[in-house]
PDB file of all heavy atoms in Angstrom:
ATOM      1  N   ARG A   1     -67.102-228.194  35.774  1.00 88.00           N
ATOM      2  CA  ARG A   1     -68.598-228.489  35.717  1.00 88.00           C
ATOM      3  C   ARG A   1     -69.284-227.179  35.171  1.00 88.00           C
ATOM      4  O   ARG A   1     -68.837-226.091  35.323  1.00 88.00           O
ATOM      5  CB  ARG A   1     -69.063-228.786  37.078  1.00 88.00           C
ATOM      6  CG  ARG A   1     -70.480-228.826  37.196  1.00 88.00           C
ATOM      7  CD  ARG A   1     -70.964-229.983  38.126  1.00 88.00           C
ATOM      8  NE  ARG A   1     -72.285-230.001  38.298  1.00 88.00           N
ATOM      9  CZ  ARG A   1     -73.110-230.844  37.635  1.00 88.00           C
ATOM     10  NH1 ARG A   1     -72.685-231.814  36.843  1.00 88.00           N
ATOM     11  NH2 ARG A   1     -74.433-230.895  37.903  1.00 88.00           N
ATOM     12  N   MET A   2     -70.357-227.403  34.437  1.00 91.00           N
ATOM     13  CA  MET A   2     -71.196-226.329  33.871  1.00 91.00           C
ATOM     14  C   MET A   2     -72.487-226.420  34.472  1.00 91.00           C
ATOM     15  O   MET A   2     -73.154-227.373  34.572  1.00 91.00           O
ATOM     16  CB  MET A   2     -71.250-226.390  32.450  1.00 91.00           C
ATOM     17  CG  MET A   2     -71.911-225.312  31.749  1.00 91.00           C
ATOM     18  SD  MET A   2     -71.513-225.089  30.061  1.00 91.00           S
ATOM     19  CE  MET A   2     -72.489-223.704  29.598  1.00 91.00           C
ATOM     20  N   TYR A   3     -73.040-225.269  34.891  1.00 93.00           N
ATOM     21  CA  TYR A   3     -74.338-225.097  35.347  1.00 93.00           C
ATOM     22  C   TYR A   3     -75.173-224.064  34.341  1.00 93.00           C
ATOM     23  O   TYR A   3     -74.466-223.262  33.845  1.00 93.00           O
ATOM     24  CB  TYR A   3     -74.441-224.429  36.755  1.00 93.00           C
ATOM     25  CG  TYR A   3     -73.820-225.315  37.719  1.00 93.00           C
ATOM     26  CD1 TYR A   3     -72.441-225.059  38.185  1.00 93.00           C
ATOM     27  CD2 TYR A   3     -74.384-226.409  38.439  1.00 93.00           C
ATOM     28  CE1 TYR A   3     -71.802-225.831  39.143  1.00 93.00           C
ATOM     29  CE2 TYR A   3     -73.786-227.216  39.295  1.00 93.00           C
ATOM     30  CZ  TYR A   3     -72.504-226.912  39.705  1.00 93.00           C
ATOM     31  OH  TYR A   3     -71.862-227.616  40.602  1.00 93.00           O
ATOM     32  N   TYR A   4     -76.401-224.285  34.158  1.00 89.00           N
ATOM     33  CA  TYR A   4     -77.163-223.419  33.458  1.00 89.00           C
ATOM     34  C   TYR A   4     -78.559-223.200  34.156  1.00 89.00           C
ATOM     35  O   TYR A   4     -79.084-224.065  34.765  1.00 89.00           O
ATOM     36  CB  TYR A   4     -77.422-223.819  31.970  1.00 89.00           C
ATOM     37  CG  TYR A   4     -78.234-225.086  31.878  1.00 89.00           C
ATOM     38  CD1 TYR A   4     -79.588-224.946  31.630  1.00 89.00           C
ATOM     39  CD2 TYR A   4     -77.627-226.339  31.968  1.00 89.00           C
ATOM     40  CE1 TYR A   4     -80.396-226.221  31.576  1.00 89.00           C
ATOM     41  CE2 TYR A   4     -78.414-227.448  31.780  1.00 89.00           C
ATOM     42  CZ  TYR A   4     -79.729-227.351  31.597  1.00 89.00           C
ATOM     43  OH  TYR A   4     -80.593-228.505  31.519  1.00 89.00           O
ATOM     44  N   THR A   5     -79.030-221.856  34.135  1.00 89.00           N
ATOM     45  CA  THR A   5     -80.237-221.578  34.774  1.00 89.00           C
ATOM     46  C   THR A   5     -81.432-222.029  33.872  1.00 89.00           C
ATOM     47  O   THR A   5     -81.289-221.937  32.791  1.00 89.00           O
ATOM     48  CB  THR A   5     -80.248-220.088  35.133  1.00 89.00           C
ATOM     49  OG1 THR A   5     -80.160-219.363  33.852  1.00 89.00           O
ATOM     50  CG2 THR A   5     -79.134-219.779  36.173  1.00 89.00           C
ATOM     51  N   THR A   6     -82.486-222.381  34.592  1.00 88.00           N
ATOM     52  CA  THR A   6     -83.671-222.849  34.010  1.00 88.00           C
ATOM     53  C   THR A   6     -84.850-222.463  34.850  1.00 88.00           C
ATOM     54  O   THR A   6     -84.840-222.213  35.879  1.00 88.00           O
ATOM     55  CB  THR A   6     -83.687-224.392  33.708  1.00 88.00           C
ATOM     56  OG1 THR A   6     -84.822-224.779  32.922  1.00 88.00           O
ATOM     57  CG2 THR A   6     -83.654-225.217  34.961  1.00 88.00           C
ATOM     58  N   LEU A   7     -86.044-222.418  34.166  1.00 86.00           N
ATOM     59  CA  LEU A   7     -87.284-222.067  34.855  1.00 86.00           C
ATOM     60  C   LEU A   7     -87.529-223.185  35.949  1.00 86.00           C
ATOM     61  O   LEU A   7     -87.316-224.421  35.577  1.00 86.00           O
ATOM     62  CB  LEU A   7     -88.410-221.954  33.960  1.00 86.00           C
ATOM     63  CG  LEU A   7     -88.436-220.752  32.992  1.00 86.00           C
ATOM     64  CD1 LEU A   7     -89.590-220.896  32.032  1.00 86.00           C
ATOM     65  CD2 LEU A   7     -88.509-219.503  33.694  1.00 86.00           C
ATOM     66  N   GLU A   8     -88.021-222.843  37.018  1.00 86.00           N
ATOM     67  CA  GLU A   8     -88.401-223.824  38.190  1.00 86.00           C
ATOM     68  C   GLU A   8     -89.446-224.828  37.673  1.00 86.00           C
ATOM     69  O   GLU A   8     -89.405-225.959  37.993  1.00 86.00           O
ATOM     70  CB  GLU A   8     -88.880-222.987  39.362  1.00 86.00           C
ATOM     71  CG  GLU A   8     -88.748-223.776  40.652  1.00 86.00           C
ATOM     72  CD  GLU A   8     -89.018-222.881  41.810  1.00 86.00           C
ATOM     73  OE1 GLU A   8     -89.924-222.056  41.698  1.00 86.00           O
ATOM     74  OE2 GLU A   8     -88.235-223.087  42.866  1.00 86.00           O
ATOM     75  N   SER A   9     -90.337-224.299  36.740  1.00 87.00           N
ATOM     76  CA  SER A   9     -91.403-225.129  36.150  1.00 87.00           C
ATOM     77  C   SER A   9     -90.890-226.291  35.379  1.00 87.00           C
ATOM     78  O   SER A   9     -91.569-227.268  35.178  1.00 87.00           O
ATOM     79  CB  SER A   9     -92.418-224.283  35.422  1.00 87.00           C
ATOM     80  OG  SER A   9     -91.839-223.725  34.361  1.00 87.00           O
ATOM     81  N   ASN A  10     -89.662-226.116  34.796  1.00 87.00           N
ATOM     82  CA  ASN A  10     -89.080-227.221  33.857  1.00 87.00           C
ATOM     83  C   ASN A  10     -88.787-228.454  34.761  1.00 87.00           C
ATOM     84  O   ASN A  10     -88.756-229.581  34.268  1.00 87.00           O
ATOM     85  CB  ASN A  10     -87.836-226.624  33.165  1.00 87.00           C
ATOM     86  CG  ASN A  10     -88.126-225.694  32.050  1.00 87.00           C
ATOM     87  OD1 ASN A  10     -89.254-225.629  31.610  1.00 87.00           O
ATOM     88  ND2 ASN A  10     -87.187-224.922  31.680  1.00 87.00           N
ATOM     89  N   LEU A  11     -88.582-228.182  36.065  1.00 86.00           N
ATOM     90  CA  LEU A  11     -88.204-229.454  36.804  1.00 86.00           C
ATOM     91  C   LEU A  11     -89.490-230.213  37.187  1.00 86.00           C
ATOM     92  O   LEU A  11     -89.451-231.204  37.992  1.00 86.00           O
ATOM     93  CB  LEU A  11     -87.474-228.987  38.019  1.00 86.00           C
ATOM     94  CG  LEU A  11     -86.142-228.389  37.816  1.00 86.00           C
ATOM     95  CD1 LEU A  11     -85.488-227.975  39.084  1.00 86.00           C
ATOM     96  CD2 LEU A  11     -85.139-229.377  37.121  1.00 86.00           C
ATOM     97  N   GLY A  12     -90.605-229.744  36.771  1.00 88.00           N
ATOM     98  CA  GLY A  12     -91.834-230.556  37.005  1.00 88.00           C
ATOM     99  C   GLY A  12     -92.167-231.494  35.857  1.00 88.00           C
ATOM    100  O   GLY A  12     -93.152-232.099  35.890  1.00 88.00           O
ATOM    101  N   ILE A  13     -91.457-231.392  34.754  1.00 90.00           N
ATOM    102  CA  ILE A  13     -91.644-232.345  33.596  1.00 90.00           C
ATOM    103  C   ILE A  13     -91.204-233.559  33.965  1.00 90.00           C
ATOM    104  O   ILE A  13     -90.069-233.786  34.410  1.00 90.00           O
ATOM    105  CB  ILE A  13     -90.913-231.723  32.393  1.00 90.00           C
ATOM    106  CG1 ILE A  13     -91.315-230.318  32.059  1.00 90.00           C
ATOM    107  CG2 ILE A  13     -91.059-232.620  31.054  1.00 90.00           C
ATOM    108  CD1 ILE A  13     -90.503-229.573  30.974  1.00 90.00           C
ATOM    109  N   PRO A  14     -92.019-234.670  33.875  1.00 89.00           N
ATOM    110  CA  PRO A  14     -91.735-235.997  34.371  1.00 89.00           C
ATOM    111  C   PRO A  14     -90.347-236.646  34.131  1.00 89.00           C
ATOM    112  O   PRO A  14     -89.571-236.916  35.039  1.00 89.00           O
ATOM    113  CB  PRO A  14     -92.829-236.839  33.852  1.00 89.00           C
ATOM    114  CG  PRO A  14     -93.973-235.949  33.675  1.00 89.00           C
ATOM    115  CD  PRO A  14     -93.367-234.613  33.352  1.00 89.00           C
ATOM    116  N   ILE A  15     -90.028-236.836  32.905  1.00 88.00           N
ATOM    117  CA  ILE A  15     -88.780-237.496  32.571  1.00 88.00           C
ATOM    118  C   ILE A  15     -87.580-236.448  32.412  1.00 88.00           C
ATOM    119  O   ILE A  15     -86.540-236.631  32.883  1.00 88.00           O
ATOM    120  CB  ILE A  15     -88.911-238.337  31.320  1.00 88.00           C
ATOM    121  CG1 ILE A  15     -89.841-239.421  31.554  1.00 88.00           C
ATOM    122  CG2 ILE A  15     -87.562-238.830  30.835  1.00 88.00           C
ATOM    123  CD1 ILE A  15     -90.230-240.208  30.458  1.00 88.00           C
ATOM    124  N   ALA A  16     -87.945-235.262  31.847  1.00 89.00           N
ATOM    125  CA  ALA A  16     -86.933-234.284  31.468  1.00 89.00           C
ATOM    126  C   ALA A  16     -86.351-233.716  32.766  1.00 89.00           C
ATOM    127  O   ALA A  16     -85.238-233.297  32.732  1.00 89.00           O
ATOM    128  CB  ALA A  16     -87.587-233.153  30.684  1.00 89.00           C
ATOM    129  N   ARG A  17     -87.039-233.721  33.984  1.00 88.00           N
ATOM    130  CA  ARG A  17     -86.483-233.058  35.138  1.00 88.00           C
ATOM    131  C   ARG A  17     -85.170-233.794  35.566  1.00 88.00           C
ATOM    132  O   ARG A  17     -84.262-233.029  36.010  1.00 88.00           O
ATOM    133  CB  ARG A  17     -87.460-232.968  36.233  1.00 88.00           C
ATOM    134  CG  ARG A  17     -87.805-234.310  36.861  1.00 88.00           C
ATOM    135  CD  ARG A  17     -88.744-234.147  38.054  1.00 88.00           C
ATOM    136  NE  ARG A  17     -89.407-235.481  38.296  1.00 88.00           N
ATOM    137  CZ  ARG A  17     -90.752-235.529  38.359  1.00 88.00           C
ATOM    138  NH1 ARG A  17     -91.522-234.471  38.374  1.00 88.00           N
ATOM    139  NH2 ARG A  17     -91.217-236.788  38.660  1.00 88.00           N
ATOM    140  N   HIS A  18     -85.128-235.073  35.414  1.00 91.00           N
ATOM    141  CA  HIS A  18     -83.882-235.811  35.745  1.00 91.00           C
ATOM    142  C   HIS A  18     -82.731-235.479  34.855  1.00 91.00           C
ATOM    143  O   HIS A  18     -81.554-235.329  35.213  1.00 91.00           O
ATOM    144  CB  HIS A  18     -84.193-237.297  35.792  1.00 91.00           C
ATOM    145  CG  HIS A  18     -85.192-237.704  36.686  1.00 91.00           C
ATOM    146  ND1 HIS A  18     -85.173-237.602  38.041  1.00 91.00           N
ATOM    147  CD2 HIS A  18     -86.497-238.171  36.458  1.00 91.00           C
ATOM    148  CE1 HIS A  18     -86.347-238.000  38.655  1.00 91.00           C
ATOM    149  NE2 HIS A  18     -87.093-238.344  37.607  1.00 91.00           N
ATOM    150  N   LEU A  19     -82.958-235.296  33.553  1.00 92.00           N
ATOM    151  CA  LEU A  19     -81.997-234.889  32.513  1.00 92.00           C
ATOM    152  C   LEU A  19     -81.463-233.486  32.816  1.00 92.00           C
ATOM    153  O   LEU A  19     -80.375-233.209  32.768  1.00 92.00           O
ATOM    154  CB  LEU A  19     -82.513-235.015  31.150  1.00 92.00           C
ATOM    155  CG  LEU A  19     -82.735-236.440  30.672  1.00 92.00           C
ATOM    156  CD1 LEU A  19     -83.409-236.539  29.291  1.00 92.00           C
ATOM    157  CD2 LEU A  19     -81.419-237.267  30.632  1.00 92.00           C
ATOM    158  N   ILE A  20     -82.480-232.617  33.166  1.00 91.00           N
ATOM    159  CA  ILE A  20     -82.170-231.208  33.368  1.00 91.00           C
ATOM    160  C   ILE A  20     -81.185-231.087  34.545  1.00 91.00           C
ATOM    161  O   ILE A  20     -80.161-230.480  34.533  1.00 91.00           O
ATOM    162  CB  ILE A  20     -83.401-230.419  33.558  1.00 91.00           C
ATOM    163  CG1 ILE A  20     -84.171-230.192  32.292  1.00 91.00           C
ATOM    164  CG2 ILE A  20     -83.063-229.087  34.223  1.00 91.00           C
ATOM    165  CD1 ILE A  20     -85.545-229.761  32.473  1.00 91.00           C
ATOM    166  N   ARG A  21     -81.508-231.760  35.640  1.00 89.00           N
ATOM    167  CA  ARG A  21     -80.535-231.801  36.896  1.00 89.00           C
ATOM    168  C   ARG A  21     -79.249-232.451  36.520  1.00 89.00           C
ATOM    169  O   ARG A  21     -78.195-231.948  36.930  1.00 89.00           O
ATOM    170  CB  ARG A  21     -81.253-232.499  37.935  1.00 89.00           C
ATOM    171  CG  ARG A  21     -82.261-231.783  38.643  1.00 89.00           C
ATOM    172  CD  ARG A  21     -81.657-230.772  39.587  1.00 89.00           C
ATOM    173  NE  ARG A  21     -82.625-230.285  40.505  1.00 89.00           N
ATOM    174  CZ  ARG A  21     -82.477-229.301  41.212  1.00 89.00           C
ATOM    175  NH1 ARG A  21     -81.370-228.555  41.168  1.00 89.00           N
ATOM    176  NH2 ARG A  21     -83.326-228.829  42.014  1.00 89.00           N
ATOM    177  N   TRP A  22     -79.295-233.530  35.880  1.00 92.00           N
ATOM    178  CA  TRP A  22     -78.153-234.328  35.471  1.00 92.00           C
ATOM    179  C   TRP A  22     -77.156-233.492  34.647  1.00 92.00           C
ATOM    180  O   TRP A  22     -75.875-233.513  34.738  1.00 92.00           O
ATOM    181  CB  TRP A  22     -78.435-235.676  34.847  1.00 92.00           C
ATOM    182  CG  TRP A  22     -77.271-236.629  34.703  1.00 92.00           C
ATOM    183  CD1 TRP A  22     -76.702-237.252  35.698  1.00 92.00           C
ATOM    184  CD2 TRP A  22     -76.582-236.980  33.510  1.00 92.00           C
ATOM    185  NE1 TRP A  22     -75.697-238.067  35.191  1.00 92.00           N
ATOM    186  CE2 TRP A  22     -75.564-237.927  33.880  1.00 92.00           C
ATOM    187  CE3 TRP A  22     -76.763-236.656  32.171  1.00 92.00           C
ATOM    188  CZ2 TRP A  22     -74.719-238.463  32.931  1.00 92.00           C
ATOM    189  CZ3 TRP A  22     -75.836-237.179  31.214  1.00 92.00           C
ATOM    190  CH2 TRP A  22     -74.900-238.074  31.623  1.00 92.00           C
ATOM    191  N   PHE A  23     -77.684-232.668  33.712  1.00 91.00           N
ATOM    192  CA  PHE A  23     -76.851-231.824  32.821  1.00 91.00           C
ATOM    193  C   PHE A  23     -76.477-230.481  33.453  1.00 91.00           C
ATOM    194  O   PHE A  23     -75.936-229.602  32.711  1.00 91.00           O
ATOM    195  CB  PHE A  23     -77.525-231.625  31.528  1.00 91.00           C
ATOM    196  CG  PHE A  23     -77.368-232.744  30.553  1.00 91.00           C
ATOM    197  CD1 PHE A  23     -78.539-233.518  30.216  1.00 91.00           C
ATOM    198  CD2 PHE A  23     -76.189-233.262  30.099  1.00 91.00           C
ATOM    199  CE1 PHE A  23     -78.492-234.661  29.384  1.00 91.00           C
ATOM    200  CE2 PHE A  23     -76.090-234.373  29.355  1.00 91.00           C
ATOM    201  CZ  PHE A  23     -77.243-235.044  28.938  1.00 91.00           C
ATOM    202  N   GLY A  24     -76.798-230.297  34.726  1.00 91.00           N
ATOM    203  CA  GLY A  24     -76.425-229.011  35.441  1.00 91.00           C
ATOM    204  C   GLY A  24     -77.517-227.968  35.553  1.00 91.00           C
ATOM    205  O   GLY A  24     -77.074-226.861  35.841  1.00 91.00           O
ATOM    206  N   GLY A  25     -78.688-228.222  35.220  1.00 91.00           N
ATOM    207  CA  GLY A  25     -79.730-227.313  35.302  1.00 91.00           C
ATOM    208  C   GLY A  25     -80.009-226.862  36.774  1.00 91.00           C
ATOM    209  O   GLY A  25     -80.146-227.699  37.711  1.00 91.00           O
TER     210      GLY A  25
END
């Protein structure tokens, strides 16, 4: 599995937050 760090604010983007989490954000 791969994880990558991202800004906490990116998880507030309506549709993208689910993709970010799904891809290991």
Side-chain angles (χ1 to χ4, degrees):
R1 175 138 174 102
M2 180 157 181
Y3 298 98
Y4 66 94
T5 56
T6 185
L7 294 175
E8 203 169 40
S9 61
N10 288 343
L11 296 176
I13 302 169
I15 296 172
R17 71 174 158 231
H18 301 295
L19 291 173
I20 290 170
R21 282 283 196 194
W22 192 69
F23 284 115

